[in-house]
């Protein structure tokens, strides 16, 4: 492995890195901008505000 | 706690409940664990910031270290950084994760026992740090100073307790989609585990000694270890870790916090969920590459340095995209910011995030870094991030949580506002003064006069000029500490007003069904292609695959790990395997046994906190310190000691510059040699004796790591070599001045190390039959 990597041009590594990044970035863009995803995105965005169904009962069990 | 917006959103989008199909279940959130982490955040926040102020005072007034070895800057600076990062910020992110994960998953944490083991285990680790670092028990790798037994404990607590509990909670969640905050938590948990394990691969002295002799070391040596990496590789691993500790301990979990708590406080959803997805993957993929920008112009291979710079600059966009996403969440609600101190903290916190993430990439540009590196500019940058981003996001979260956790109104809103303004002014005083100090230092170090000589050849001149700025920093730090104390008072008083018994609300949500059929991928638009081509188009190019991951914690985690590990493959591994990256130098030999011990004393005293050992190939540095540092000079340096700042001068070529007598006088009382010096006294090293018996095991441990010690590994040989060198140095010392009888004192070992530094380049290579590591 050491021999193989030593024989490679060092500039190869940054180029491979950038290509990998661009591929990953393109995949993410494809995910978010595909047709019909807006409603789904809006729904997901509300999750922190989407509390569970209002409480059915309240316990007072824990003292401190 | 149920906002009108939330109910409206649920009504508009009958989301998860309808999609879940399982039977209705009841559950109660565990807020007791959140209360514990909140308390720990405040307590450790006060401790961390007080430690910071204490060492800041020492830089302006060295006598403030009380003349004690345990309270010197070198020993306490790691305590401050570790307390700020792992105790203050750490407990804050745990509070955030435990609170928000339960709500986002609609499930109680999987195991209360693991939650509590996590809490108490983490506090025990923090206490262990406080009980070891002041005593010089350190690995000397920044933000990874804790020694191997504590590292093992961290791994157990992080992976065994925290990660297990978190992922099992995800598994048993009642909400199909994993909200983006959970993605940030996943990235945090897996990446920190990877970073921690690989940066802390060490050989403990205890293991080496037991293997070679069947005995155990005593005292502090029980905890002593050395990294399996050396020199350039060690530096690379360290800053891969160091930078990503900032990324994945101080950034991603706080972004998760932002994406959950900001919408809660603003009572409106995040501005753009799409942007949050881009934000997440861009950060995960880019951040991990950026570490080498901490090593510009050092002995690191230039290609790696450039790669780190490029990826750092690329970080600008996702960071600002995320920051803008946070601020725009407040669209239409800015009127609330004027009245709600929680939102004020969040807005200023996000603003500091944007400033720090603008500045970080800027500092990574080589030409800027040439000026900023080793100066206080870096310190101002990290405090802008830590105090502004991490601190303010934490305080915003805490003040939002207090009434909810203690189930009563917050005690004093005025005190919250006072905290906000006091801390804001404190940060500004701190960073503006230290920016000025850093730029001043950088410019003075590189300034030449009209004759081509250094304009300020005495390093001390570049120190004394900073004193006014150092005092302003102390003032800023005091204001910030005062703010946290106010937060503590408010928390305590709010807690006192709590109800006699906390109400535990029983929630209901349907369980997720075991079988879930994904909505089909969009139809292919290809009319004439193979099935394979259509599958690629519909499942990959359309992004359908990602939507599936978003409800599959295991797959999501695996792909996050892959994204993180890619950087290792293309950035770190070549540095280890390509021999041309670290050309060896024939004259560079292992440290002698006495020098090895002296090096461990240098490490224990935390000298690397103020002195670098890395001369960059710049004219001003070569003029001031000598020939620039070569990668091959560090092949026996475990751990590397390149440092990251110069409160004092670089020491890479210190060997032979001064007499033994000068060094001993300087260590005993620096101000007696350089009156304006801010270095603490190390007089204790003139009293403490060398444990010569321990030297043999140190040499043997190094030999196990591959250092060619030759005959020195024979029983008693290293001890004999060390005693011989100590006698020689002592004789020379006695001939140079008034010191007598120091031949068995630690100062002799430290002087031996100091006099060795940087001298290998000018030595002749050893003859083939010459025993290695002889003095």
């Amino acid at each position: 492995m050491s021999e193989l990597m030593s024989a490679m041009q060092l500039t190869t590594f940054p180029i491979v890195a950038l290509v990998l990044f661009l591929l990953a970035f393109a995949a993410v863009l494809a995910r978010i901008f595909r047709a019909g995803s807006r409603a789904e995105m809006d729904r997901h965005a509300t999750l922190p505000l989407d509390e569970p169904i209002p409480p059915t009962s309240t316990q007072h069990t824990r003292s401190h | 706690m149920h906002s009108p917006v939330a109910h409206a959103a649920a009504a508009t989008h009958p989301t998860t409940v309808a999609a879940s199909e399982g039977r209705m279940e009841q559950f109660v959130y565990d807020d007791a664990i959140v209360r514990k982490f909140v308390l720990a955040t405040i307590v450790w926040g006060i401790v961390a910031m007080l430690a910071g102020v204490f060492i800041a005072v020492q830089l302006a007034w060295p006598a403030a270290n009380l003349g004690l070895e345990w309270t010197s800057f070198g020993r306490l600076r790691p305590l401050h950084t570790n307390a700020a990062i792992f105790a203050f910020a750490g407990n804050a992110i745990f509070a955030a994760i435990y609170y928000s994960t339960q709500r986002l998953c609609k499930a109680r944490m999987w195991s209360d026992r693991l939650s509590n083991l996590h809490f108490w285990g983490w506090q025990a680790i923090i206490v262990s740090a406080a009980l070891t670092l002041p005593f010089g028990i350190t690995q000397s790798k920044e933000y990874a100073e804790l020694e191997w037994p504590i590292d093992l404990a961290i791994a157990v607590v992080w992976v065994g307790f925290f990660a297990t509990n978190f992922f099992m909670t995800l598994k048993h969640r009642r909400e199909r989609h994993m909200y983006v905050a959970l993605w940030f938590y996943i990235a945090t948990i897996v990446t920190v585990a990877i970073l921690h394990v690989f940066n802390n691969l060490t050989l403990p002295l205890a293991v080496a000694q037991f293997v070679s002799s069947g005995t155990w070391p005593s005292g502090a040596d029980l905890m002593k270890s050395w990294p399996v990496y050396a020199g350039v590789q060690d530096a690379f691993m360290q800053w891969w870790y160091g930078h990503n500790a900032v990324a994945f301990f101080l950034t991603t979990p706080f972004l998760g916090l932002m994406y959950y708590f900001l919408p809660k406080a603003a009572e409106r959803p995040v501005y753009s969920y799409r942007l949050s997805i881009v934000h997440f993957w861009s950060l995960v993929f880019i951040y991990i590459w950026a570490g080498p920008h901490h090593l510009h112009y050092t002995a690191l291979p230039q290609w790696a340095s450039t790669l780190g710079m490029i990826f750092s600059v690329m970080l600008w966009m996702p960071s600002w995209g995320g920051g803008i996403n946070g601020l725009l969440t407040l669209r239409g609600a800015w009127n609330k910011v004027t009245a709600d101190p929680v939102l004020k903290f969040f807005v200023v916190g996000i603003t500091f995030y944007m400033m720090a993430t603008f500045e970080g990439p800027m500092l990574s540009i080589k030409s800027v870094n040439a000026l900023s590196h080793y100066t206080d500019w870096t310190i101002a940058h990290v405090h802008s991030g830590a105090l502004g981003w991490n601190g303010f996001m934490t305080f915003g979260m805490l003040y939002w949580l207090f009434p909810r956790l203690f189930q009563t109104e917050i005690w004093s809103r005025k005190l919250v506002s006072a905290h906000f303004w006091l801390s804001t002014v404190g940060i500004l005083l701190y960073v503006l003064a230290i920016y000025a100090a850093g730029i001043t230092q950088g410019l003075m170090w590189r300034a030449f006069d009209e004759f081509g000589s250094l304009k300020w050849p005495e390093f001390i001149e570049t120190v004394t000029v900073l004193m006014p700025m150092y005092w302003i920093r102390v003032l800023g730090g005091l204001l910030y500490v005062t703010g946290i104390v106010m937060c503590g008072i408010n928390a305590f008083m709010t807690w006192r007003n709590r109800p006699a018994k906390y109400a535990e609300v029983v929630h209901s949500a349907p369980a997720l069904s075991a079988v879930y059929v994904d909505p089909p991928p969009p139809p292919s638009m290809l009319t004439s292609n193979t099935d394979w081509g259509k599958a690629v188009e519909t499942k990959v190019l359309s992004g359908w695959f990602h939507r599936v991951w978003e409800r599959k914690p295991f797959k999501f985690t695996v792909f996050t790990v892959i994204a993180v590990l890619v950087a290792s493959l293309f950035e770190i591994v070549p540095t280890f395997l390509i021999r041309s990256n670290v050309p060896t130098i024939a004259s560079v030999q292992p440290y002698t046994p006495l020098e090895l011990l002296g090096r461990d004393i240098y490490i224990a005293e935390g000298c690397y906190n103020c002195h670098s050992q890395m001369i960059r190939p710049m004219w001003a540095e070569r003029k001031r310190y000598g020939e620039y540092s070569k990668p091959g000079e560090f092949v026996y340096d475990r751990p590397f000691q390149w440092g990251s700042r110069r409160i004092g001068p670089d020491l890479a070529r210190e060997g032979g510059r001064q007499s033994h007598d000068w060094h001993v006088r300087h260590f005993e009382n620096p101000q007696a040699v350089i009156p304006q010096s801010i270095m603490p006294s190390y007089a204790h090293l003139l009293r403490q004796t060398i444990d010569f018996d321990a030297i043999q095991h140190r040499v043997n441990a190094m030999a196990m790591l591959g250092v060619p010690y030759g005959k020195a590994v024979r029983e008693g040989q290293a001890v004999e070599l060390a005693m011989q060198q100590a006698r020689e140095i002592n004789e020379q010392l006695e001939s140079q001045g008034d010191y007598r009888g120091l031949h068995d004192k630690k100062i002799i070992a430290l002087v031996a190390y100091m006099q060795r530094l940087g001298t290998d380049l000018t030595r002749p290579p050893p003859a083939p039959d010459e025993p290695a590591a002889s003095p």
Side-chain angles (χ1 to χ4, degrees):
Chain A
M1 179 61 92
S2 181
E3 298 293 333
L4 177 69
M5 297 194 86
S6 295
M8 291 175 74
Q9 290 289 328
L10 290 178
T11 49
T12 309
F13 298 103
I15 291 169
V16 172
L18 279 171
V19 169
L20 283 173
F21 167 74
L22 286 174
L23 288 176
F25 192 71
V28 172
L29 288 183
R31 159 67 179 107
I32 60 173
F33 288 114
R34 72 186 164 78
S37 67
R38 173 175 285 277
E40 184 188 22
M41 294 288 170
D42 289 346
R43 198 178 69 222
H44 293 159
T46 61
L47 281 177
L49 308 172
D50 179 18
E51 295 278 346
I53 292 172
T56 53
S57 64
T58 301
Q59 297 176 339
H60 292 277
T61 53
R62 184 67 57 86
S63 59
H64 40 79
Chain B
M1 309 301 165
H2 298 275
S3 73
V5 175
H7 289 306
T12 312
H13 307 291
T15 63
T16 50
V17 174
S20 297
E21 302 169 356
R23 64 184 172 81
M24 193 64 81
E25 293 178 334
Q26 294 192 327
F27 53 94
V28 175
Y29 295 135
D30 179 8
D31 283 342
I33 190 67
V34 185
R35 280 189 285 269
K36 286 177 185 166
F37 278 118
V38 160
L39 172 68
T41 302
I42 297 168
V43 170
W44 292 121
I46 293 171
V47 171
M49 306 311 162
L50 273 177
V53 170
F54 183 53
I55 59 173
V57 171
Q58 288 186 25
L59 291 184
W61 181 41
N65 73 0
L66 311 174
L68 301 172
E69 60 181 288
W70 310 283
T71 50
S72 65
F73 182 88
R75 293 203 188 179
L76 287 193
R77 193 248 182 179
L79 189 69
H80 163 59
T81 54
N82 278 271
I85 297 171
F86 300 111
F88 171 60
N91 278 297
I93 63 177
F94 297 141
I97 290 173
Y98 276 83
Y99 186 88
S100 60
T101 298
Q102 296 185 83
R103 269 84 184 166
L104 290 170
C105 291
K106 294 188 173 69
R108 188 183 178 91
M109 291 307 293
W110 181 63
S111 163
D112 287 2
R113 177 170 294 177
L114 284 180
S115 298
N116 283 292
L117 281 170
H118 175 200
F119 175 78
W120 289 110
W122 197 256
Q123 310 318 311
I125 287 164
I126 295 166
V127 172
S128 303
L131 292 176
T132 53
L133 294 172
F135 294 95
I137 298 170
T138 173
Q139 293 186 142
S140 84
K141 297 173 83 166
E142 286 182 71
Y143 327 129
E145 286 92 348
L146 303 180
E147 270 292 3
W148 67 274
I150 308 174
D151 285 339
L152 285 177
I154 291 171
V156 169
V157 170
W158 188 271
V159 178
F161 304 155
F162 175 40
T164 304
N165 203 12
F166 177 82
F167 284 109
M168 290 305 288
T169 306
L170 284 189
K171 185 169 187 287
H172 291 94
R173 71 195 189 282
R174 297 182 180 88
E175 169 59 57
R176 185 76 65 183
H177 176 77
M178 292 190 299
Y179 181 68
V180 71
L182 297 173
W183 307 3
F184 281 100
Y185 300 156
I186 290 172
T188 299
I189 291 171
V190 297
T191 311
V192 168
I194 293 169
L195 296 168
H196 175 73
V197 168
F198 284 98
N199 190 45
N200 288 296
L201 290 178
T202 60
L203 175 64
L205 174 60
V207 172
Q209 183 170 333
F210 184 76
V211 169
S212 63
S213 69
T215 62
W216 296 100
S218 58
D221 276 355
L222 259 176
M223 302 189 77
K224 180 68 189 166
S225 68
W226 298 277
V228 298
Y229 321 105
V232 172
Q233 284 94 349
D234 192 39
F236 205 164
M237 288 302 292
Q238 160 57 23
W239 284 113
W240 172 72
Y241 164 89
H243 180 76
N244 288 303
V246 174
F248 289 90
F249 205 92
L250 298 177
T251 304
T252 53
F254 281 90
L255 289 169
L257 183 162
M258 178 188 86
Y259 278 118
Y260 179 80
F261 286 95
L262 182 61
K264 296 293 280 188
E267 297 184 316
R268 58 196 57 229
V270 65
Y271 170 68
S272 168
Y273 201 71
R274 283 176 164 158
L275 193 52
S276 72
I277 295 175
V278 179
H279 188 196
F280 173 80
W281 281 112
S282 301
L283 284 192
V284 166
F285 198 84
I286 299 175
Y287 241 129
I288 203 81
W289 300 81
H293 72 224
H294 289 260
L295 298 168
H296 283 333
Y297 297 113
T298 66
L300 190 76
Q302 197 175 13
W303 68 268
S305 174
T306 303
L307 189 58
M309 179 184 80
I310 291 169
F311 273 82
S312 302
V313 172
M314 286 162 67
L315 274 171
W316 250 323
M317 277 189 276
S319 299
W320 271 58
I324 290 168
N325 205 8
L327 291 180
L328 286 180
T329 299
L330 293 165
R331 72 203 182 286
W334 283 96
N335 58 314
K336 290 184 183 176
V337 178
T338 58
D340 185 353
V342 168
L343 289 177
K344 281 196 182 105
F345 273 112
F346 282 151
V347 167
V348 175
I350 295 168
T351 307
F352 269 108
Y353 172 64
M354 295 175 72
M355 288 193 291
T357 55
F358 176 85
E359 188 187 14
M362 184 177 76
L363 291 174
S364 78
I365 296 171
K366 288 186 181 181
S367 52
V368 179
N369 193 271
L371 174 74
S372 72
H373 198 47
Y374 298 123
T375 74
D376 279 326
W377 190 345
T378 312
I379 310 307
H381 168 60
V382 299
H383 281 81
S384 153
L387 302 179
W389 161 238
N390 301 123
F392 272 36
M393 295 307 287
T394 296
F395 298 134
M397 175 191 73
L398 290 178
Y399 287 122
W400 187 85
L401 282 174
F402 286 162
R404 288 157 178 85
L405 292 177
F406 300 131
Q407 299 179 2
T408 183
E409 286 295 310
I410 197 156
W411 181 63
S412 170
R413 287 175 65 88
K414 282 185 179 173
L415 205 57
V416 180
S417 280
H419 176 190
F420 170 79
W421 288 111
L422 214 56
S423 294
T424 303
V425 173
I427 298 175
L428 291 176
L429 282 175
Y430 186 116
V431 298
L432 291 177
I434 299 304
Y435 281 134
I439 294 170
T440 303
Q441 273 179 320
L443 292 175
M444 289 180 79
W445 291 347
R446 57 162 58 181
F448 288 95
D449 63 18
E450 61 269 36
F451 305 108
S453 303
L454 288 172
K455 196 167 182 181
W456 286 281
E458 296 300 326
F459 189 89
I460 193 66
E461 294 175 288
T462 69
V463 176
T464 52
V465 72
L466 307 178
M467 288 306 123
M469 301 156 206
Y470 282 1
W471 279 116
I472 295 173
R473 164 167 60 186
V474 170
L475 177 62
L478 279 173
L479 291 179
Y480 199 85
V481 172
T482 308
I484 305 186
V485 171
M486 286 176 168
C487 178
I489 292 170
N490 223 343
F492 176 72
M493 296 306 289
T494 307
W495 172 78
R496 279 188 58 176
N497 292 337
R498 70 200 182 282
K501 288 182 178 177
Y502 287 126
E504 291 196 326
V505 178
V506 179
H507 295 280
S508 301
L512 297 184
S513 58
V515 179
Y516 179 79
V517 180
D518 281 305
S524 173
M525 291 182 287
L526 298 175
T527 52
S528 58
N529 208 323
T530 61
D531 290 343
W532 183 86
K534 287 178 180 172
V536 169
E537 190 229 340
T538 55
K539 293 187 178 177
V540 179
L541 296 182
S542 73
W544 183 83
F545 72 100
H546 195 282
R547 198 173 61 177
V548 176
W549 294 358
E550 290 164 15
R551 60 171 187 78
K552 288 183 176 290
F554 180 72
K555 270 193 177 176
F556 195 94
T557 304
V558 167
F559 283 103
T560 303
V561 169
I562 289 172
V564 167
L565 289 180
V566 162
S568 310
L569 288 173
F570 287 92
E571 205 174 56
I572 297 177
V573 174
T575 317
F576 279 68
L577 293 181
I578 300 175
R579 285 188 294 274
S580 62
N581 278 335
V582 187
T584 52
I585 301 169
S587 59
V588 173
Q589 291 295 301
Y591 293 104
T592 67
L594 189 68
E595 290 161 3
L596 193 60
L597 183 72
R599 193 168 198 278
D600 284 346
I601 295 169
Y602 182 96
I603 289 167
E605 295 298 345
C607 303
Y608 67 91
N609 287 293
C610 296
H611 297 279
S612 58
Q613 288 186 25
M614 174 52 60
I615 302 169
R616 295 175 293 176
M618 300 165 184
W619 184 230
E621 298 222 351
R622 295 177 67 182
K623 191 95 171 165
R624 186 181 294 277
Y625 301 118
E627 180 61 16
Y628 69 89
S629 301
K630 314 287 192 296
E633 290 186 80
F634 305 100
V635 293
Y636 301 120
D637 279 19
R638 295 170 196 270
F640 79 109
Q641 291 292 296
W642 297 359
S644 63
R645 76 193 278 212
R646 290 176 181 153
I647 296 172
D650 186 275
L651 300 177
R653 305 253 176 260
E654 185 61 26
R657 285 190 159 213
Q658 306 285 356
S659 66
H660 299 336
D661 182 69
W662 186 94
H663 277 297
V664 176
R665 282 191 290 118
H666 187 239
F667 278 122
E668 185 180 28
N669 184 1
Q671 287 74 33
V673 180
I674 303 168
Q676 309 96 321
S677 172
I678 59 172
M679 180 166 143
S681 164
Y682 291 91
H684 57 278
L685 298 177
L686 279 73
R687 298 188 298 271
Q688 295 172 355
T689 54
I690 297 171
D691 179 8
F692 281 103
D693 293 337
I695 289 180
Q696 187 67 56
H697 301 299
R698 285 180 143 71
V699 168
N700 292 355
M702 284 294 152
M704 284 184 192
L705 288 168
V707 180
Y709 267 111
K711 295 172 184 171
V713 297
R714 291 182 187 166
E715 188 59 34
Q717 186 71 26
V719 179
E720 183 53 41
L721 286 169
M723 293 177 107
Q724 181 190 335
Q725 188 179 9
R727 282 193 299 270
E728 288 170 8
I729 291 175
N730 188 56
E731 284 170 15
Q732 293 161 4
L733 176 66
E734 292 187 356
S735 70
Q736 292 167 358
D738 301 329
Y739 289 106
R740 297 289 179 269
L742 294 178
H743 62 280
D744 62 346
K745 298 296 186 280
K746 286 185 176 176
I747 192 72
I748 294 295
L750 186 53
V751 169
Y753 174 63
M754 299 299 296
Q755 297 290 27
R756 171 68 183 272
L757 286 174
T759 57
D760 279 5
L761 274 189
T762 52
R763 285 183 175 199
D769 56 345
E770 188 176 331
S774 57

